[in-house]
Amino acid sequence: MKVMVIGSGGREHALVRKLAQSPRVGQIVVAPGNAGIAREDGRGAAVACVPIGALAIDELVAYAASNAVDFVVVTPDDPLVAGAVDAFTAAGIPAFGPNAAAAQIEGSKSFAKAFMARHGIPTAGYAVYDDEAAALAHVADCALPVVVKADGLALGKGVTVALTREEAERAVREAMAGRFGESGKRLVIEEFLSGPEVTVLAFTDGRTIRPMVSAMDHKRLLDGDSGPNTGGMGVIAPSPLYTPEVAKRCEREILRPTVDGLAEEGLVFTGCLYFGLILTEDGPKVIEYNCRFGDPETQVVLPLLESDLLDILEATTNGTLADVAVDFSTDCAACVVMSAEGYPASPRRGDPIALPTELRDHVVMAGVADEDGRLVTNGGRVLGVLGRAATLDGALDLAYARLGRISFPGAHYRTDIAHQFRHP
């Protein structure tokens, strides 16, 4: 089969690598991909990148139709919310991911919060504002800390955890002034929840749910969970805190009611549903939904998948997920992100990357480009360095040992990923 993957980061590299292991996949086309993905040997499947942006939906559909693409995997949030799956489906090309109506679960935080309220799904208390004065009045009187969120998609940067009134007011004013474009003209203001966070990705065809191995991301730039928020500086799977007991409770109180609630409202969700959870003293609650594979969670979850990924993706699309195997290894996996100097505010680009050839299979490429035949930095999160072992300590040791052999000017990484679970 000829499979098309839409997207350009480390998540897409991880998906390409796993899809290439399927004996049914002969060729993978990635749009637009990146220079690192273009160098993927494919392990039997030919891999090529085409320079079509993820939001150029008409162009993507035309390419797939004229190049005999059999199946499309739409991974980023913005083309899903913009209706990419609807467009491929209308053209008769099977595509993995939710349609635009179901993708609202991520595309509008106010929609997601109201949905949870309607279906009794545990989450933080909240209020929604379209008016700046009303939002400012709320943060002038609410408990602190408080969370201010842009309603729409904001490249993962639309959330402020305000510790002071001044921070909360600034977040409101900047969003309403257009910092996040139209996405910030409506705000969701939430109570602050305390507890460890865990991510659960789940395959679903709108009826059957197949949760993947849990994961734990590290969002802050610096050691000790300090510094600015990022897209993710490191991740492990599974999370030691997501015990079988916690998993059963989450499936009963959150995962099942979410999928069933969407179906009841005529929004049958097919694809990967991302549950961002927090384990509070009152039990697990939803921080956010995403309508797609997480980044960097995918980088550690998919290497542990033992079943054929293409079989699963097709089954979520055609409604037969109950009939296919979705099995995971009992191993642990870790990914440590190497970021560019200046990330996340203004990452530097164009620095040459020294990456030993024998380590390429243990690295996912995100913010990279090709310059005269050599890899250079081309984004904030440049590389994800992977480790897999029978224990979490072993996986982390492998990831950090490999990272120590990779370099580029200004490279930054956290040294304390999952340190709280390390054994002395």
Side-chain angles (χ1 to χ4, degrees), residues 13-93:
H13 196 173
L15 278 158
V16 166
R17 198 169 270 170
K18 179 57 69 171
L19 281 166
Q21 295 174 10
S22 171
R24 299 172 54 220
V25 175
Q27 184 177 357
I28 303 173
V29 177
V30 192
N34 64 49
I37 295 174
R39 298 180 183 207
E40 183 73 19
D41 61 23
R43 293 163 184 76
V47 177
C49 294
V50 295
I52 307 174
L55 276 171
I57 294 174
D58 290 344
E59 193 175 348
L60 291 166
V61 172
Y63 178 92
S66 60
N67 286 272
V69 169
D70 299 297
F71 190 76
V72 179
V73 183
V74 185
T75 48
D77 51 10
D78 39 2
L80 288 168
V81 172
V85 168
D86 309 69
F88 282 109
T89 302
I93 303 168

Side-chain angles (χ1 to χ4, degrees), residues 62-418:
Y63 178 92
S66 60
N67 286 272
V69 169
D70 299 297
F71 190 76
V72 179
V73 183
V74 185
T75 48
D77 51 10
D78 39 2
L80 288 168
V81 172
V85 168
D86 309 69
F88 282 109
T89 302
I93 303 168
F96 173 85
N99 60 26
Q104 288 181 86
I105 201 76
E106 178 176 4
S108 169
K109 293 180 179 66
S110 60
F111 170 85
K113 297 295 283 191
F115 168 82
M116 286 185 271
R118 288 194 298 274
H119 294 276
I121 297 167
T123 188
Y126 75 103
V128 178
Y129 294 100
D130 296 291
D131 178 73
E132 180 177 315
L136 289 170
H138 180 113
V139 299
D141 192 38
C142 67
L144 295 173
V146 65
V147 184
V148 180
K149 296 182 176 182
D151 181 61
L153 301 178
L155 301 175
K157 299 175 183 177
V159 178
T160 299
V161 179
L163 304 180
T164 67
R165 304 246 176 253
E166 291 75 17
E167 287 179 308
E169 290 172 1
R170 183 166 59 250
V172 169
R173 293 185 193 280
E174 289 182 354
M176 290 289 191
R179 180 183 177 189
F180 309 111
E182 290 302 311
S183 291
K185 294 303 178 72
R186 171 176 291 175
L187 296 178
V188 175
I189 302 180
E190 293 183 350
E191 68 169 325
F192 176 78
L193 297 177
S194 181
E197 297 181 23
V198 61
T199 300
V200 177
L201 306 176
F203 295 112
T204 180
D205 60 5
R207 295 185 301 275
T208 300
I209 307 171
R210 291 286 183 265
M212 301 179 223
V213 174
S214 64
M216 180 181 177
D217 192 9
H218 297 66
K219 290 291 188 187
R220 297 285 186 171
L221 179 69
L222 305 175
D223 285 0
D225 284 329
S226 60
N229 264 327
T230 72
M233 293 301 299
V235 61
I236 60 167
S239 167
L241 300 176
Y242 198 70
T243 63
E245 294 74 24
V246 173
K248 287 179 183 176
R249 183 171 179 182
C250 288
E251 289 183 41
R252 182 178 68 250
E253 299 180 4
I254 296 173
L255 275 64
R256 185 80 257 171
T258 297
V259 172
D260 288 348
L262 286 167
E264 287 170 16
E265 298 190 11
L267 303 173
V268 177
F269 189 104
T270 65
C272 174
L273 192 48
Y274 170 120
F275 296 86
L277 308 174
I278 185 165
L279 308 180
T280 75
E281 291 183 353
D282 299 326
K285 298 185 178 184
V286 176
I287 298 176
E288 65 173 346
Y289 293 116
N290 289 343
C291 63
R292 35 72 189 188
F293 285 102
D295 187 342
E297 292 91 351
T298 304
Q299 287 89 306
V300 289
V301 169
L302 284 190
L304 299 178
L305 178 66
E306 296 183 330
S307 304
D308 188 305
L309 179 59
L310 179 62
D311 288 348
I312 299 169
L313 300 186
E314 283 189 311
T316 67
T317 301
N318 62 29
T320 59
L321 186 58
D323 302 328
V324 301
V326 183
D327 298 321
F328 287 86
S329 168
T330 58
D331 283 354
C332 297
C335 174
V336 182
V337 171
M338 299 182 74
S339 62
E341 183 171 319
Y343 177 72
S346 53
R348 194 170 73 195
R349 301 171 188 265
D351 289 313
I353 302 168
L355 172 61
T357 302
E358 63 270 22
L359 294 184
R360 287 187 182 273
D361 285 352
H362 305 292
V363 174
V364 290
M365 308 282 193
V368 300
D370 189 294
E371 186 179 277
D372 300 325
R374 64 177 185 172
L375 279 179
V376 298
T377 62
N378 191 43
R381 292 183 295 167
V382 179
L383 307 174
V385 187
L386 308 173
R388 173 180 172 172
T391 65
L392 179 57
D393 279 339
L396 287 163
D397 288 344
L398 275 173
Y400 276 111
R402 290 162 178 161
L403 185 149
R405 299 177 58 201
I406 303 167
S407 64
F408 54 86
H412 167 76
Y413 62 91
R414 281 184 58 164
T415 65
D416 66 344
I417 299 301

